[in-house]
């Protein structure tokens, strides 16, 4: 998905990272994404800001579409993979974040979600999340179908917090 070899905001897959906050629905959280070129020896996309629960808000995120060629398809087929792998560094409490996946069938605010816990503060760690760990945010959605993934979001959500979350790599993985 992105090994950070391309200039920011572009992914190595040819899509672009962008920041989204709860302000799109009336919240007051502030978030920013930027590229650090040497964060403990790695290039990283860094999500910083403050999540506020005021005005029914509560999230900031970095997102990218997954389709390699949107003129041919709005999704990517990841069914040959077992899940998502990220290399992360976290400097906020609680040390957790969500991964949100969207498919062409998800509504505007719906997604498939998984909460990830980061074991150690300020240390690079690899986190693997099997597709089977993602749960729908809406009861009427079918189980996640990895053959039609449209977008990935790395999200700080659900509680008041200052955020510092760095991502040095995002990819699909296979268990051998």
């Amino acid at each position: 998905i992105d090994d950070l070899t391309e200039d920011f905001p572009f992914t190595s897959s040819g899509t672009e990272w962008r920041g989204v906050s709860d302000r799109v629905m009336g919240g007051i959280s502030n978030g920013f994404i930027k590229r650090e070129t040497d964060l403990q020896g790695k290039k990283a996309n860094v999500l910083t800001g403050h999540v506020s629960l005021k005005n029914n808000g509560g999230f900031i995120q970095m997102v990218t579409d997954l389709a390699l060629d949107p003129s041919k398809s709005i999704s990517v087929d990841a069914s040959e993979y077992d899940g998502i792998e990220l290399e992360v560094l976290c400097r906020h409490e609680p040390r957790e974040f969500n991964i949100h996946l969207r498919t062409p069938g998800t509504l505007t605010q719906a997604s498939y979600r998984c909460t990830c816990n980061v074991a150690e503060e300020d240390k690079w760690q690899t986190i693997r999340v099997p597709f089977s760990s993602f749960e729908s945010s809406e009861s009427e959605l079918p189980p996640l179908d990895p053959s039609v993934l449209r977008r990935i979001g790395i999200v700080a959500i659900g509680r008041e917090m200052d955020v510092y979350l760095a991502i040095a790599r995002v990819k699909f993985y296979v268990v051998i």
Side-chain angles (χ1 to χ4, degrees), residues 21-176:
S21 76
D22 57 23
R23 290 178 177 265
V24 299
M25 49 189 253
I28 61 169
S29 298
N30 287 308
F32 306 93
I33 59 171
K34 64 180 178 178
R35 172 74 51 87
E36 292 285 339
T37 57
D38 185 10
L39 183 58
Q40 296 183 7
K42 299 180 185 285
K43 278 186 183 179
N45 288 346
V46 180
L47 177 67
T48 59
H50 180 78
V51 175
S52 172
L53 301 179
K54 294 178 182 167
N55 292 359
N56 296 315
F59 72 90
I60 61 173
Q61 67 179 323
M62 64 174 99
V63 299
T64 189
D65 292 328
L66 297 171
L68 302 176
D69 185 351
S71 68
K72 294 181 181 176
S73 174
I74 61 169
S75 63
V76 66
D77 182 354
S79 60
E80 294 182 17
Y81 298 92
D82 294 310
I84 304 284
E85 180 180 291
L86 302 96
E87 191 168 3
V88 303
L89 180 144
C90 182
R91 292 181 178 161
H92 64 260
E93 290 289 339
R95 288 188 310 271
E96 66 181 31
F97 65 95
N98 277 19
I99 302 172
H100 292 188
L101 296 173
R102 296 197 49 204
T103 64
T106 53
L107 303 171
T108 304
Q109 295 175 12
S111 62
Y112 296 90
R113 302 173 178 194
C114 184
T115 299
C116 303
N117 293 300
V118 181
E120 296 182 57
E121 184 176 0
D122 206 25
K123 180 179 177 187
W124 286 109
Q125 295 156 76
T126 299
I127 294 178
R128 282 187 162 185
V129 182
F131 288 131
S132 60
S133 295
F134 286 87
E135 296 180 0
S136 167
S137 64
E138 305 291 332
S139 60
E140 66 272 1
L141 286 176
L144 175 65
D145 179 357
S147 70
V148 288
L149 298 180
R150 190 171 127 211
R151 179 184 297 170
I152 185 170
I154 313 300
V155 190
I157 189 170
R159 63 183 71 195
E160 192 97 14
M161 67 179 130
D162 292 317
V163 176
Y164 186 102
L165 182 66
I167 307 293
R169 182 184 66 238
V170 182
K171 69 178 196 170
F172 298 118
Y173 74 89
V174 174
V175 174
I176 299 175

Side-chain angles (χ1 to χ4, degrees), residues 1-2 6 11-15 66-68:
I1 299 170
D2 194 9
E6 299 300 318
T11 70
S12 53
S13 302
T15 59
L66 297 171
L68 302 176

